[in-house]
Amino acid sequence: MSPRPDALARLAAHTAERAKAGLRRRLRAFDHMDGPWLERDGRTLLSFCGNDYLGLAQHPQLIAALKRTADDEGVGSGSAHLIAGHRAEHAALEEALAEWTGRERALLFSTGYMANLGVMQALLAEGDVCVQDKLNHACLLDGAKLSGAELKRYPHADVEGAARQLQSRPGACALLATDGVFSMDGDVAPLRELSALCAREGATFMVDDAHGLGVLGPEGAGSVAAAELSQHDVPVLMATLGKALGCFGAFVAGRASLIEGLVQSARTFVYTTAMPPAMAAATLAAVRVAREDAWRRDKLQSLIRRFRDGAGQLGLPLMPSDTAIQPLLIGDANHAVMAAEALESVGFLVGAIRPPTVPQGKARLRITLSAMHEDDQVDALLEALSGLPWATEV
Ligand SMILES: *Cc1c(COP(=O)(O)O)cnc(C)c1O
C-alpha cells in the first residue's frame, strides 16, 4: 500500500505553486485608519480599496451606540440566537432592516459568507438545481456546493443563458442566485429580467446585495429597490452590514415564512454565536444614518462621475460600472500587481485583483470610491494613474 498523502505537505506545495506563479496573497497589518487614510510602517496611504462606501465605519453616532451598549451589555453575546444570545438590539435591528428593504421579516447572520451558505443549505437539497451568474461571489458558489444541489452557471449577466440552464433541468426545484452589484466588476445584474425569468420558470429568485444596500435605490434600500422589485419578485434578499453600513455581519430578508424556515434549518444561523449586541446597536444607528443622509449617496455619485469622466479622458480601461466599484482592466496578473505597487509608492492604496478571484486574463485594479473621498483626492488618483506605463499604452 502506498503511504497516505500528507495534508500539510500538500497545502505547503500548493502555497509554493501560487508563489511561483506570482499569485501569493500577502497578509499585512495596518496600524491606523482615519477616514480614507491608512497608516502602515509610518507611511500614510490614501485608500481606494475599501467597501465603506458611505463613510460610516467611523461615524460618531455608530461609535456612541457601540460604546453605550457595550457599557450596559458587555462585549460578547454569550450564546447562539436560539439559546440566549438574541437580545433586544438584534430584534430592533432586524425590524429596521425589514422595514428599510420592504420585507416582512429579516434575520441576522454573523457574516455574509455564512448567510449565503445557510440560505442555500436550507432551501436546496440533492437533486435540485442552483443557477448562478459566472461572476457571483465565492460564497454563493460555495453555498450551492454545500447544499448538494447541482450548480449550473451562466455567462455574466446573460438572461438567455440563465434561461437555458433552468430549462436544462425542467421539473427540478430551482434557485437562481445573483449578486445585485457584482463585487469585482461593479455592474448591476439584470434584476428585472431575471425576476421575470424566475416567475416564468417557477424558480426561486435570490439576490445578494452586499454592494448595493446603502448605495443604490430610494433611501439606499439597494439594487432590488432601485429596480422596483418587491418581496414577491425577489423572495430571497441577502445583504451585508460590513460594507456601506460600515459595521459587521449580514441579514436575509423576505416573507415571515422564509425567515421562520431559516430559523429552523439554516445551520450557519442555528449553530453559531450571535453577533455582539453592541454591534447590532451600532448597525441600527448605521441604518438610520444611511437612510437619512442622502447627501452621502449624492456625493458618492458625483465622485463616481468625476472619476469616470477623468479616466475616460485619460483613455484608461474603464469597465461598464456606475457604482462605487470602478475597476480598471489590466489583464495580466503581474502587471496588475506592478500597477498597484507603483500606486502605493506614490501614496495610493488600490487592490490588485487576480485569478482565481477574477477569470484568467482579467486581472484588474479594483478602485472603490466612498463618500468620504474628496474631489481633489480623486483628481490626485487620476493623476497617479495617468503616470503608469500601462495606462498610456491603452
Ligand atoms: C463581501 C461579500 C459577501 C460576504 O460578506 P461578509 O459579511 O464579508 O462575509 C457576500 N457576497 C458578496 C457579493 C460580497 O461582496
Side-chain angles (χ1 to χ4, degrees):
M1 222 167 51
S2 57
R4 294 180 202 284
D6 181 279
L8 293 170
R10 190 172 55 191
L11 175 65
H14 181 70
T15 305
E17 251 168 55
R18 276 195 66 91
K20 214 170 124 198
L23 293 175
R24 180 169 172 253
R25 307 179 202 263
R26 272 215 295 173
L27 182 61
R28 300 170 71 188
F30 288 93
D31 301 313
H32 182 58
M33 175 173 94
D34 180 11
W37 300 99
L38 282 169
E39 232 176 85
R40 180 167 62 200
D41 306 332
R43 280 194 74 210
T44 303
L45 300 163
L46 182 57
S47 164
F48 284 95
C49 59
N51 300 321
D52 183 12
Y53 303 124
L54 300 179
L56 297 186
Q58 293 181 315
H59 192 289
Q61 285 179 28
L62 276 63
I63 297 170
L66 186 99
K67 283 183 175 163
R68 204 178 328 113
T69 312
D71 279 342
D72 292 347
E73 304 292 327
V75 178
S77 66
S79 67
H81 281 279
L82 287 167
I83 308 298
H86 196 65
R87 309 286 176 72
E89 289 80 7
H90 299 114
L93 174 57
E94 287 176 342
E95 211 166 292
L97 291 167
E99 209 254 315
W100 188 20
T101 54
R103 266 64 189 159
E104 276 172 34
R105 272 188 73 188
L107 186 70
L108 292 174
F109 283 80
S110 294
T111 70
Y113 212 117
M114 290 168 70
N116 282 340
L117 296 189
V119 166
M120 294 205 168
Q121 165 262 317
L123 286 173
L124 294 172
E126 224 166 293
D128 298 343
V129 63
C130 185
V131 174
Q132 298 201 24
D133 191 292
K134 263 218 149 79
L135 297 189
N136 272 357
H137 193 269
C139 60
L140 285 168
L141 304 171
D142 288 358
K145 285 182 203 161
L146 180 68
S147 76
E150 184 186 5
L151 172 61
K152 283 186 165 279
R153 303 208 276 168
Y154 55 87
H156 180 48
D158 179 353
V159 181
E160 293 300 312
R164 277 193 298 276
Q165 292 292 41
L166 279 173
Q167 286 151 7
S168 74
R169 291 287 312 277
C173 180
L175 178 80
L176 190 153
T178 183
D179 283 18
V181 174
F182 287 88
S183 55
M184 296 301 140
D185 292 60
D187 56 337
V188 180
L191 295 173
R192 293 188 68 83
E193 293 82 351
L194 289 171
S195 158
L197 169 66
C198 287
R200 264 197 324 273
E201 290 288 330
T204 300
F205 189 28
M206 170 175 183
V207 176
D208 172 341
D209 207 21
H211 299 277
L213 186 76
V215 175
L216 301 178
E219 289 186 39
S223 65
V224 171
E228 295 178 3
L229 293 170
S230 68
Q231 170 176 278
H232 176 77
D233 305 315
V234 181
V236 187
L237 172 62
M238 172 274 182
T240 64
L241 308 171
K243 284 160 183 160
L245 288 174
C247 293
F248 193 79
F251 69 97
V252 175
R255 283 186 206 106
S257 54
L258 167 73
I259 301 306
E260 185 56 25
L262 294 178
V263 169
Q264 305 307 317
S265 304
R267 294 169 63 84
T268 56
F269 172 81
V270 175
Y271 297 108
T272 200
T273 302
M275 113 182 3
M279 181 56 68
T283 311
L284 180 60
V287 171
R288 292 195 180 120
V289 176
R291 292 185 74 166
E292 280 168 16
D293 284 3
W295 67 265
R296 291 176 191 273
R297 277 178 289 282
D298 296 343
K299 186 175 173 202
L300 179 59
Q301 284 310 320
S302 135
L303 292 163
I304 292 167
R305 275 196 302 276
R306 190 178 190 91
F307 177 79
R308 287 191 68 83
D309 288 350
Q313 277 167 23
L314 291 168
L316 302 181
L318 281 168
M319 291 174 65
S321 159
D322 294 316
T323 68
I325 301 164
Q326 289 293 328
L328 294 177
L329 189 61
I330 291 189
D332 180 77
N334 286 322
H335 288 174
V337 173
M338 277 156 52
E341 283 171 355
L343 288 169
E344 185 169 333
S345 73
V346 292
F348 297 94
L349 207 59
V350 166
I353 310 291
R354 301 169 286 178
T357 306
V358 290
Q360 281 296 334
K362 295 269 178 77
R364 66 199 62 181
L365 293 178
R366 180 175 180 270
I367 292 164
T368 52
L369 298 164
S370 162
M372 62 192 159
H373 287 127
E374 299 299 339
D375 284 354
D376 58 348
Q377 295 174 334
V378 169
D379 295 346
L381 173 66
L382 287 165
E383 170 83 32
L385 286 166
S386 74
L388 296 179
W390 59 268
T392 51
E393 281 162 21
V394 172

